[in-house]
Structure formats: structure tokens, C-alpha cells
mmCIF file of all heavy atoms in Angstrom:
data_model
loop_
_atom_site.group_PDB
_atom_site.id
_atom_site.type_symbol
_atom_site.label_atom_id
_atom_site.label_comp_id
_atom_site.label_asym_id
_atom_site.label_seq_id
_atom_site.Cartn_x
_atom_site.Cartn_y
_atom_site.Cartn_z
ATOM 1 N N ILE A 1 142.605 -30.382 27.595
ATOM 2 C CA ILE A 1 142.596 -31.566 28.452
ATOM 3 C C ILE A 1 144.055 -32.073 28.743
ATOM 4 O O ILE A 1 144.380 -32.443 29.886
ATOM 5 C CB ILE A 1 141.877 -32.721 27.725
ATOM 6 C CG1 ILE A 1 140.319 -32.339 27.567
ATOM 7 C CG2 ILE A 1 141.917 -34.023 28.483
ATOM 8 C CD1 ILE A 1 139.568 -33.258 26.783
ATOM 9 N N SER A 2 144.978 -31.973 27.800
ATOM 10 C CA SER A 2 146.325 -32.379 27.991
ATOM 11 C C SER A 2 147.016 -31.531 29.069
ATOM 12 O O SER A 2 147.706 -32.040 29.897
ATOM 13 C CB SER A 2 147.169 -32.243 26.659
ATOM 14 O OG SER A 2 146.609 -33.099 25.680
ATOM 15 N N VAL A 3 146.685 -30.225 29.035
ATOM 16 C CA VAL A 3 147.295 -29.327 30.078
ATOM 17 C C VAL A 3 146.711 -29.703 31.410
ATOM 18 O O VAL A 3 147.529 -29.723 32.495
ATOM 19 C CB VAL A 3 146.983 -27.873 29.725
ATOM 20 C CG1 VAL A 3 147.312 -26.922 30.870
ATOM 21 C CG2 VAL A 3 147.703 -27.500 28.514
ATOM 22 N N VAL A 4 145.428 -29.970 31.457
ATOM 23 C CA VAL A 4 144.793 -30.362 32.841
ATOM 24 C C VAL A 4 145.440 -31.627 33.296
ATOM 25 O O VAL A 4 145.810 -31.780 34.511
ATOM 26 C CB VAL A 4 143.341 -30.496 32.628
ATOM 27 C CG1 VAL A 4 142.734 -31.095 33.921
ATOM 28 C CG2 VAL A 4 142.628 -29.168 32.317
ATOM 29 N N VAL A 5 145.551 -32.633 32.379
ATOM 30 C CA VAL A 5 146.146 -33.948 32.819
ATOM 31 C C VAL A 5 147.614 -33.721 33.226
ATOM 32 O O VAL A 5 148.042 -34.313 34.208
ATOM 33 C CB VAL A 5 145.997 -34.936 31.681
ATOM 34 C CG1 VAL A 5 146.762 -36.264 31.962
ATOM 35 C CG2 VAL A 5 144.569 -35.318 31.395
ATOM 36 N N LEU A 6 148.323 -32.967 32.489
ATOM 37 C CA LEU A 6 149.712 -32.780 32.738
ATOM 38 C C LEU A 6 149.968 -32.094 34.143
ATOM 39 O O LEU A 6 150.935 -32.363 34.826
ATOM 40 C CB LEU A 6 150.351 -31.831 31.649
ATOM 41 C CG LEU A 6 151.846 -31.713 31.639
ATOM 42 C CD1 LEU A 6 152.492 -33.022 31.433
ATOM 43 C CD2 LEU A 6 152.272 -30.632 30.566
ATOM 44 N N THR A 7 149.115 -31.266 34.490
ATOM 45 C CA THR A 7 149.253 -30.542 35.788
ATOM 46 C C THR A 7 148.498 -31.226 36.967
ATOM 47 O O THR A 7 148.464 -30.700 38.136
ATOM 48 C CB THR A 7 148.797 -29.098 35.685
ATOM 49 O OG1 THR A 7 147.413 -29.025 35.291
ATOM 50 C CG2 THR A 7 149.654 -28.311 34.640
ATOM 51 N N SER A 8 147.815 -32.318 36.729
ATOM 52 C CA SER A 8 146.984 -32.883 37.736
ATOM 53 C C SER A 8 147.763 -33.839 38.638
ATOM 54 O O SER A 8 147.271 -34.205 39.816
ATOM 55 C CB SER A 8 145.750 -33.753 37.095
ATOM 56 O OG SER A 8 146.413 -34.852 36.310
ATOM 57 N N GLU A 9 148.973 -34.275 38.202
ATOM 58 C CA GLU A 9 149.812 -35.165 39.078
ATOM 59 C C GLU A 9 151.111 -34.393 39.409
ATOM 60 O O GLU A 9 151.721 -33.869 38.502
ATOM 61 C CB GLU A 9 150.076 -36.486 38.343
ATOM 62 C CG GLU A 9 148.864 -37.304 38.027
ATOM 63 C CD GLU A 9 148.282 -37.975 39.274
ATOM 64 O OE1 GLU A 9 149.009 -37.968 40.347
ATOM 65 O OE2 GLU A 9 147.143 -38.461 39.292
ATOM 66 N N SER A 10 151.542 -34.591 40.599
ATOM 67 C CA SER A 10 152.718 -33.890 41.048
ATOM 68 C C SER A 10 153.996 -34.303 40.294
ATOM 69 O O SER A 10 154.860 -33.561 40.022
ATOM 70 C CB SER A 10 152.987 -34.034 42.564
ATOM 71 O OG SER A 10 153.099 -35.426 42.891
ATOM 72 N N TYR A 11 154.080 -35.587 39.954
ATOM 73 C CA TYR A 11 155.246 -36.138 39.314
ATOM 74 C C TYR A 11 155.384 -35.564 37.871
ATOM 75 O O TYR A 11 156.454 -35.351 37.281
ATOM 76 C CB TYR A 11 155.345 -37.660 39.301
ATOM 77 C CG TYR A 11 154.451 -38.341 38.294
ATOM 78 C CD1 TYR A 11 154.865 -38.649 37.038
ATOM 79 C CD2 TYR A 11 153.146 -38.671 38.656
ATOM 80 C CE1 TYR A 11 154.071 -39.346 36.116
ATOM 81 C CE2 TYR A 11 152.282 -39.222 37.729
ATOM 82 C CZ TYR A 11 152.703 -39.603 36.475
ATOM 83 O OH TYR A 11 151.919 -40.234 35.598
ATOM 84 N N ARG A 12 154.275 -35.361 37.227
ATOM 85 C CA ARG A 12 154.256 -34.744 35.947
ATOM 86 C C ARG A 12 154.643 -33.282 35.971
ATOM 87 O O ARG A 12 155.428 -32.845 35.138
ATOM 88 C CB ARG A 12 152.847 -34.906 35.265
ATOM 89 C CG ARG A 12 152.400 -36.293 35.000
ATOM 90 C CD ARG A 12 151.131 -36.252 34.155
ATOM 91 N NE ARG A 12 150.668 -37.633 33.898
ATOM 92 C CZ ARG A 12 149.524 -38.122 34.281
ATOM 93 N NH1 ARG A 12 148.606 -37.314 34.832
ATOM 94 N NH2 ARG A 12 149.086 -39.346 34.108
ATOM 95 N N VAL A 13 154.207 -32.578 37.005
ATOM 96 C CA VAL A 13 154.644 -31.180 37.141
ATOM 97 C C VAL A 13 156.168 -31.118 37.406
ATOM 98 O O VAL A 13 156.855 -30.298 36.925
ATOM 99 C CB VAL A 13 153.875 -30.537 38.314
ATOM 100 C CG1 VAL A 13 154.374 -29.126 38.593
ATOM 101 C CG2 VAL A 13 152.407 -30.453 38.006
ATOM 102 N N GLU A 14 156.658 -32.013 38.252
ATOM 103 C CA GLU A 14 158.121 -32.089 38.527
ATOM 104 C C GLU A 14 158.918 -32.382 37.214
ATOM 105 O O GLU A 14 159.966 -31.741 37.021
ATOM 106 C CB GLU A 14 158.393 -33.242 39.513
ATOM 107 C CG GLU A 14 157.931 -32.804 40.950
ATOM 108 C CD GLU A 14 158.108 -33.979 41.919
ATOM 109 O OE1 GLU A 14 158.738 -34.984 41.441
ATOM 110 O OE2 GLU A 14 157.688 -33.894 43.062
ATOM 111 N N ARG A 15 158.364 -33.242 36.388
ATOM 112 C CA ARG A 15 159.096 -33.573 35.077
ATOM 113 C C ARG A 15 159.050 -32.298 34.244
ATOM 114 O O ARG A 15 160.018 -32.011 33.524
ATOM 115 C CB ARG A 15 158.386 -34.718 34.364
ATOM 116 C CG ARG A 15 158.786 -36.066 34.960
ATOM 117 C CD ARG A 15 158.114 -37.173 34.109
ATOM 118 N NE ARG A 15 158.398 -38.484 34.612
ATOM 119 C CZ ARG A 15 157.978 -39.607 34.016
ATOM 120 N NH1 ARG A 15 157.283 -39.548 32.890
ATOM 121 N NH2 ARG A 15 158.343 -40.787 34.478
ATOM 122 N N LEU A 16 157.957 -31.553 34.194
ATOM 123 C CA LEU A 16 157.887 -30.336 33.404
ATOM 124 C C LEU A 16 158.870 -29.297 33.959
ATOM 125 O O LEU A 16 159.562 -28.673 33.134
ATOM 126 C CB LEU A 16 156.415 -29.797 33.463
ATOM 127 C CG LEU A 16 156.156 -28.482 32.678
ATOM 128 C CD1 LEU A 16 156.363 -28.764 31.188
ATOM 129 C CD2 LEU A 16 154.691 -28.095 32.902
ATOM 130 N N MET A 17 159.008 -29.113 35.228
ATOM 131 C CA MET A 17 159.916 -28.174 35.766
ATOM 132 C C MET A 17 161.301 -28.526 35.501
ATOM 133 O O MET A 17 162.175 -27.705 35.148
ATOM 134 C CB MET A 17 159.631 -27.988 37.301
ATOM 135 C CG MET A 17 158.280 -27.521 37.651
ATOM 136 S SD MET A 17 157.813 -25.967 36.816
ATOM 137 C CE MET A 17 159.095 -24.843 37.492
ATOM 138 N N ALA A 18 161.581 -29.841 35.530
ATOM 139 C CA ALA A 18 162.954 -30.320 35.254
ATOM 140 C C ALA A 18 163.339 -30.145 33.795
ATOM 141 O O ALA A 18 164.445 -29.883 33.384
ATOM 142 C CB ALA A 18 163.124 -31.821 35.656
ATOM 143 N N TYR A 19 162.278 -30.272 32.987
ATOM 144 C CA TYR A 19 162.451 -30.100 31.467
ATOM 145 C C TYR A 19 162.812 -28.698 31.197
ATOM 146 O O TYR A 19 163.674 -28.349 30.387
ATOM 147 C CB TYR A 19 161.233 -30.509 30.771
ATOM 148 C CG TYR A 19 160.952 -29.829 29.493
ATOM 149 C CD1 TYR A 19 161.702 -30.049 28.363
ATOM 150 C CD2 TYR A 19 159.917 -28.895 29.435
ATOM 151 C CE1 TYR A 19 161.454 -29.369 27.151
ATOM 152 C CE2 TYR A 19 159.595 -28.134 28.216
ATOM 153 C CZ TYR A 19 160.392 -28.453 27.088
ATOM 154 O OH TYR A 19 160.131 -27.786 25.948
ATOM 155 N N LEU A 20 162.189 -27.683 31.943
ATOM 156 C CA LEU A 20 162.364 -26.301 31.769
ATOM 157 C C LEU A 20 163.907 -25.899 32.149
ATOM 158 O O LEU A 20 164.438 -25.050 31.556
ATOM 159 C CB LEU A 20 161.354 -25.453 32.435
ATOM 160 C CG LEU A 20 159.979 -25.633 31.920
ATOM 161 C CD1 LEU A 20 158.935 -24.832 32.769
ATOM 162 C CD2 LEU A 20 159.831 -25.191 30.437
ATOM 163 N N ASP A 21 164.325 -26.526 33.256
ATOM 164 C CA ASP A 21 165.716 -26.165 33.684
ATOM 165 C C ASP A 21 166.301 -27.472 34.352
ATOM 166 O O ASP A 21 166.363 -27.601 35.554
ATOM 167 C CB ASP A 21 165.538 -25.081 34.743
ATOM 168 C CG ASP A 21 167.030 -24.617 35.167
ATOM 169 O OD1 ASP A 21 167.990 -24.982 34.569
ATOM 170 O OD2 ASP A 21 167.043 -23.748 36.102
ATOM 171 N N PRO A 22 166.755 -28.385 33.415
ATOM 172 C CA PRO A 22 167.209 -29.655 34.012
ATOM 173 C C PRO A 22 168.535 -29.512 34.809
ATOM 174 O O PRO A 22 168.890 -30.398 35.537
ATOM 175 C CB PRO A 22 167.545 -30.421 32.738
ATOM 176 C CG PRO A 22 167.731 -29.481 31.702
ATOM 177 C CD PRO A 22 166.844 -28.308 32.051
ATOM 178 N N TRP A 23 169.304 -28.401 34.583
ATOM 179 C CA TRP A 23 170.548 -28.276 35.273
ATOM 180 C C TRP A 23 170.465 -27.584 36.638
ATOM 181 O O TRP A 23 171.474 -27.311 37.349
ATOM 182 C CB TRP A 23 171.510 -27.431 34.370
ATOM 183 C CG TRP A 23 171.789 -28.077 33.062
ATOM 184 C CD1 TRP A 23 171.223 -27.842 31.830
ATOM 185 C CD2 TRP A 23 172.688 -29.202 32.788
ATOM 186 N NE1 TRP A 23 171.677 -28.637 30.894
ATOM 187 C CE2 TRP A 23 172.598 -29.502 31.432
ATOM 188 C CE3 TRP A 23 173.583 -29.874 33.607
ATOM 189 C CZ2 TRP A 23 173.386 -30.516 30.850
ATOM 190 C CZ3 TRP A 23 174.317 -30.912 33.070
ATOM 191 C CH2 TRP A 23 174.215 -31.164 31.659
ATOM 192 N N ALA A 24 169.225 -27.228 36.998
ATOM 193 C CA ALA A 24 169.047 -26.593 38.308
ATOM 194 C C ALA A 24 169.510 -27.618 39.461
ATOM 195 O O ALA A 24 169.288 -28.801 39.275
ATOM 196 C CB ALA A 24 167.558 -26.262 38.513
ATOM 197 N N PRO A 25 170.075 -27.133 40.533
ATOM 198 C CA PRO A 25 170.521 -28.026 41.567
ATOM 199 C C PRO A 25 169.499 -29.047 42.059
ATOM 200 O O PRO A 25 169.798 -30.169 42.415
ATOM 201 C CB PRO A 25 171.066 -27.103 42.676
ATOM 202 C CG PRO A 25 171.372 -25.847 41.954
ATOM 203 C CD PRO A 25 170.380 -25.712 40.820
ATOM 204 N N GLU A 26 168.222 -28.596 42.159
ATOM 205 C CA GLU A 26 167.176 -29.419 42.729
ATOM 206 C C GLU A 26 166.766 -30.443 41.672
ATOM 207 O O GLU A 26 165.979 -31.403 42.005
ATOM 208 C CB GLU A 26 166.029 -28.598 43.156
ATOM 209 C CG GLU A 26 165.307 -27.921 42.095
ATOM 210 C CD GLU A 26 165.802 -26.482 41.844
ATOM 211 O OE1 GLU A 26 167.032 -26.210 42.220
ATOM 212 O OE2 GLU A 26 165.130 -25.620 41.361
ATOM 213 N N HIS A 27 167.152 -30.363 40.348
ATOM 214 C CA HIS A 27 166.677 -31.265 39.350
ATOM 215 C C HIS A 27 167.796 -32.157 38.799
ATOM 216 O O HIS A 27 167.507 -33.298 38.301
ATOM 217 C CB HIS A 27 166.120 -30.439 38.171
ATOM 218 C CG HIS A 27 164.826 -29.665 38.526
ATOM 219 N ND1 HIS A 27 164.526 -28.464 38.027
ATOM 220 C CD2 HIS A 27 163.884 -29.949 39.382
ATOM 221 C CE1 HIS A 27 163.440 -28.067 38.519
ATOM 222 N NE2 HIS A 27 163.052 -28.967 39.364
ATOM 223 N N VAL A 28 169.022 -31.655 38.797
ATOM 224 C CA VAL A 28 170.121 -32.291 38.078
ATOM 225 C C VAL A 28 170.390 -33.764 38.554
ATOM 226 O O VAL A 28 170.802 -34.644 37.762
ATOM 227 C CB VAL A 28 171.411 -31.474 38.164
ATOM 228 C CG1 VAL A 28 171.964 -31.470 39.582
ATOM 229 C CG2 VAL A 28 172.415 -31.939 37.117
ATOM 230 N N TYR A 29 170.166 -34.055 39.826
ATOM 231 C CA TYR A 29 170.244 -35.428 40.316
ATOM 232 C C TYR A 29 168.859 -36.015 40.651
ATOM 233 O O TYR A 29 168.863 -37.049 41.370
ATOM 234 C CB TYR A 29 171.140 -35.418 41.616
ATOM 235 C CG TYR A 29 172.551 -35.082 41.239
ATOM 236 C CD1 TYR A 29 173.112 -33.928 41.706
ATOM 237 C CD2 TYR A 29 173.380 -35.990 40.459
ATOM 238 C CE1 TYR A 29 174.525 -33.586 41.399
ATOM 239 C CE2 TYR A 29 174.707 -35.660 40.161
ATOM 240 C CZ TYR A 29 175.236 -34.508 40.587
ATOM 241 O OH TYR A 29 176.545 -34.175 40.327
ATOM 242 N N GLY A 30 167.813 -35.351 40.200
ATOM 243 C CA GLY A 30 166.478 -35.853 40.498
ATOM 244 C C GLY A 30 165.774 -36.150 39.192
ATOM 245 O O GLY A 30 166.116 -36.920 38.335
ATOM 246 N N THR A 31 164.633 -35.394 39.010
ATOM 247 C CA THR A 31 163.769 -35.619 37.823
ATOM 248 C C THR A 31 164.443 -35.180 36.585
ATOM 249 O O THR A 31 164.016 -35.587 35.451
ATOM 250 C CB THR A 31 162.494 -34.840 38.012
ATOM 251 O OG1 THR A 31 162.770 -33.484 38.355
ATOM 252 C CG2 THR A 31 161.602 -35.467 39.137
ATOM 253 N N GLY A 32 165.471 -34.387 36.656
ATOM 254 C CA GLY A 32 166.174 -33.895 35.430
ATOM 255 C C GLY A 32 167.457 -34.714 35.116
ATOM 256 O O GLY A 32 168.122 -34.450 34.169
ATOM 257 N N TYR A 33 167.604 -35.839 35.905
ATOM 258 C CA TYR A 33 168.932 -36.621 35.739
ATOM 259 C C TYR A 33 169.019 -37.294 34.424
ATOM 260 O O TYR A 33 170.074 -37.180 33.683
ATOM 261 C CB TYR A 33 168.913 -37.657 36.866
ATOM 262 C CG TYR A 33 170.143 -38.520 36.862
ATOM 263 C CD1 TYR A 33 171.442 -37.988 37.242
ATOM 264 C CD2 TYR A 33 170.181 -39.788 36.281
ATOM 265 C CE1 TYR A 33 172.561 -38.694 37.216
ATOM 266 C CE2 TYR A 33 171.300 -40.578 36.229
ATOM 267 C CZ TYR A 33 172.525 -40.026 36.697
ATOM 268 O OH TYR A 33 173.679 -40.773 36.596
ATOM 269 N N GLN A 34 167.996 -37.885 33.922
ATOM 270 C CA GLN A 34 168.031 -38.619 32.622
ATOM 271 C C GLN A 34 168.312 -37.601 31.514
ATOM 272 O O GLN A 34 169.173 -37.873 30.641
ATOM 273 C CB GLN A 34 166.712 -39.319 32.323
ATOM 274 C CG GLN A 34 166.592 -40.684 32.994
ATOM 275 C CD GLN A 34 165.281 -41.404 32.585
ATOM 276 O OE1 GLN A 34 164.264 -40.819 32.813
ATOM 277 N NE2 GLN A 34 165.374 -42.589 32.103
ATOM 278 N N LEU A 35 167.658 -36.469 31.557
ATOM 279 C CA LEU A 35 167.817 -35.483 30.447
ATOM 280 C C LEU A 35 169.255 -34.903 30.505
ATOM 281 O O LEU A 35 169.890 -34.763 29.415
ATOM 282 C CB LEU A 35 166.857 -34.317 30.672
ATOM 283 C CG LEU A 35 166.993 -33.209 29.596
ATOM 284 C CD1 LEU A 35 166.894 -33.670 28.221
ATOM 285 C CD2 LEU A 35 165.876 -32.144 29.870
ATOM 286 N N THR A 36 169.777 -34.570 31.652
ATOM 287 C CA THR A 36 171.174 -34.056 31.668
ATOM 288 C C THR A 36 172.158 -35.068 31.194
ATOM 289 O O THR A 36 173.106 -34.748 30.495
ATOM 290 C CB THR A 36 171.526 -33.620 33.129
ATOM 291 O OG1 THR A 36 171.385 -34.687 34.008
ATOM 292 C CG2 THR A 36 170.664 -32.464 33.599
ATOM 293 N N GLN A 37 172.041 -36.310 31.619
ATOM 294 C CA GLN A 37 172.904 -37.377 31.154
ATOM 295 C C GLN A 37 172.760 -37.620 29.609
ATOM 296 O O GLN A 37 173.731 -37.952 28.901
ATOM 297 C CB GLN A 37 172.687 -38.664 31.942
ATOM 298 C CG GLN A 37 172.919 -38.542 33.393
ATOM 299 C CD GLN A 37 174.339 -38.125 33.691
ATOM 300 O OE1 GLN A 37 175.322 -38.591 33.130
ATOM 301 N NE2 GLN A 37 174.432 -37.158 34.673
ATOM 302 N N SER A 38 171.510 -37.489 29.100
ATOM 303 C CA SER A 38 171.393 -37.628 27.695
ATOM 304 C C SER A 38 172.043 -36.431 26.932
ATOM 305 O O SER A 38 172.692 -36.678 25.888
ATOM 306 C CB SER A 38 169.868 -37.676 27.429
ATOM 307 O OG SER A 38 169.624 -37.722 25.969
ATOM 308 N N LEU A 39 171.881 -35.274 27.423
ATOM 309 C CA LEU A 39 172.524 -34.143 26.813
ATOM 310 C C LEU A 39 174.079 -34.252 26.845
ATOM 311 O O LEU A 39 174.769 -33.918 25.896
ATOM 312 C CB LEU A 39 172.120 -32.836 27.507
ATOM 313 C CG LEU A 39 170.684 -32.501 27.280
ATOM 314 C CD1 LEU A 39 170.311 -31.269 28.122
ATOM 315 C CD2 LEU A 39 170.294 -32.305 25.883
ATOM 316 N N ILE A 40 174.609 -34.797 27.911
ATOM 317 C CA ILE A 40 176.038 -35.041 28.003
ATOM 318 C C ILE A 40 176.453 -36.063 26.949
ATOM 319 O O ILE A 40 177.529 -35.861 26.264
ATOM 320 C CB ILE A 40 176.400 -35.564 29.435
ATOM 321 C CG1 ILE A 40 176.291 -34.450 30.477
ATOM 322 C CG2 ILE A 40 177.851 -36.093 29.464
ATOM 323 C CD1 ILE A 40 176.459 -34.950 31.890
ATOM 324 N N ALA A 41 175.684 -37.093 26.687
ATOM 325 C CA ALA A 41 175.973 -38.048 25.648
ATOM 326 C C ALA A 41 176.048 -37.354 24.312
ATOM 327 O O ALA A 41 177.004 -37.651 23.505
ATOM 328 C CB ALA A 41 174.958 -39.152 25.699
ATOM 329 N N PHE A 42 175.039 -36.514 23.959
ATOM 330 C CA PHE A 42 175.066 -35.857 22.706
ATOM 331 C C PHE A 42 176.269 -34.929 22.593
ATOM 332 O O PHE A 42 176.884 -34.846 21.532
ATOM 333 C CB PHE A 42 173.710 -35.049 22.510
ATOM 334 C CG PHE A 42 172.609 -35.805 22.108
ATOM 335 C CD1 PHE A 42 171.630 -36.181 23.019
ATOM 336 C CD2 PHE A 42 172.424 -36.105 20.756
ATOM 337 C CE1 PHE A 42 170.523 -36.981 22.581
ATOM 338 C CE2 PHE A 42 171.326 -36.868 20.320
ATOM 339 C CZ PHE A 42 170.371 -37.314 21.180
ATOM 340 N N GLY A 43 176.594 -34.206 23.655
ATOM 341 C CA GLY A 43 177.729 -33.435 23.661
ATOM 342 C C GLY A 43 179.057 -34.061 23.403
ATOM 343 O O GLY A 43 179.936 -33.604 22.651
ATOM 344 N N ARG A 44 179.170 -35.303 24.016
ATOM 345 C CA ARG A 44 180.406 -36.110 23.845
ATOM 346 C C ARG A 44 180.573 -36.659 22.413
ATOM 347 O O ARG A 44 181.645 -36.803 21.966
ATOM 348 C CB ARG A 44 180.508 -37.291 24.838
ATOM 349 C CG ARG A 44 180.592 -36.809 26.331
ATOM 350 C CD ARG A 44 180.903 -38.030 27.170
ATOM 351 N NE ARG A 44 182.290 -38.470 26.986
ATOM 352 C CZ ARG A 44 182.658 -39.590 26.457
ATOM 353 N NH1 ARG A 44 181.763 -40.442 25.957
ATOM 354 N NH2 ARG A 44 183.977 -39.951 26.426
ATOM 355 N N GLY A 45 179.423 -36.766 21.775
ATOM 356 C CA GLY A 45 179.405 -37.388 20.413
ATOM 357 C C GLY A 45 179.986 -36.510 19.365
ATOM 358 O O GLY A 45 180.656 -36.958 18.406
#
């Protein structure tokens, strides 16, 4: 059921794709932006 719900909405699919490759050009300033900035914070620490 979780897989069905996860793939039933386009924004959830976009988040999933951004999670798989947040540094991709189409994600880094979009749905993957929060994750990349978070990873930068961890790296700076």
C-alpha cells in the first residue's frame, strides 16, 4: 500500500527521484534542493 500511495501522486514521485539523485541538474534547484543544502551543511561541519 505504501508503494502504491508513494507512486500515486506526481510530487511524491518527484521527491523519490530527487532522493535517488539530488545532484542531477533537474533536481538540484528543485525537489532535491533541501537535500543538497542539508548535505552541504553536514559536509561543512
Side-chain angles (χ1 to χ4, degrees):
I1 294 172
S2 298
V3 171
V4 172
V5 171
L6 189 62
T7 56
S8 63
E9 296 287 346
S10 59
Y11 77 92
R12 294 191 184 120
V13 176
E14 290 175 4
R15 284 185 178 181
L16 181 60
M17 298 306 296
Y19 151 73
L20 295 174
D21 188 8
W23 300 100
E26 65 271 23
H27 297 146
V28 70
Y29 292 112
T31 50
Y33 181 75
Q34 279 183 304
L35 176 54
T36 56
Q37 297 303 314
S38 178
L39 294 175
I40 290 172
F42 279 99
R44 293 190 76 248

